[in-house]
Amino acid sequence: MVRDPSREEDPPDPAEVLDALADEAARRIVAALSEPKTASELSEECDVPLSTTYRKLEKLTDASLLNESTDIRRDGQHTTRYSVAFEEVVVSIDEADGRELTVEFERPEPTRDERLADLWSELREET
């Protein structure tokens, strides 16, 4: 299973993004993601209880700030890893839209593996 917010058509709700980033523990989790990590690794590194870490990861993923991917293993012990889904987030007030709050993401270019996974997903959908 893969949850990649960069593939979603609708932009995330600005309030949801700001709410996710307003939390200190969530910001520590984002800062710790220099490479994909599991919830357990993040819990230990950020000194946040595992149950809280899962809630923060869910909130950050729902706000389009994190990608979630699952490593499938033959032994059945699948591992979910999280990675940062942005290079930059810009929050602004759009004067032309009646001072509406907007959020824009600068996303990293997809890796070769991600492009291959996209192609494979598209092929599976067609069959």
Side-chain angles (χ1 to χ4, degrees):
M1 177 182 173
V2 175
R3 285 178 57 189
D4 181 353
S6 65
R7 295 183 186 148
E8 295 175 8
E9 292 182 22
D10 296 329
D13 177 25
E16 192 174 7
V17 173
L18 292 173
D19 186 43
L21 292 173
D23 184 87
E24 181 195 346
R27 289 192 307 271
R28 286 198 322 257
I29 288 169
V30 170
L33 284 168
S34 56
E35 63 185 13
K37 296 181 181 173
T38 65
S40 297
E41 292 168 336
L42 289 164
S43 173
E44 186 176 318
E45 186 174 335
C46 297
D47 195 31
V48 176
L50 188 57
S51 60
T52 302
T53 300
Y54 277 113
R55 284 195 306 276
K56 304 300 180 191
L57 289 168
E58 183 73 21
K59 195 171 199 176
L60 290 163
T61 303
D62 288 346
S64 299
L65 295 164
L66 299 183
N67 291 328
E68 178 183 288
S69 63
T70 303
D71 296 339
I72 307 295
R73 298 183 181 171
R74 289 180 187 231
D75 64 4
Q77 299 296 318
H78 307 316
T79 304
T80 301
R81 295 193 179 278
Y82 298 87
S83 60
V84 175
F86 63 91
E87 290 181 358
E88 182 177 60
V89 177
V90 177
V91 179
S92 60
I93 297 177
D94 189 350
E95 292 291 333
D97 246 0
R99 301 186 55 83
E100 186 171 317
L101 194 63
T102 60
V103 174
E104 295 176 19
F105 288 90
E106 183 178 320
R107 304 272 187 201
E109 288 294 318
T111 65
R112 247 185 299 176
D113 290 343
E114 291 169 334
R115 290 192 307 267
L116 181 59
D118 287 344
L119 288 171
W120 183 250
S121 293
E122 288 174 21
L123 180 64
R124 286 184 22 199
E125 287 174 10
E126 291 179 10
T127 58

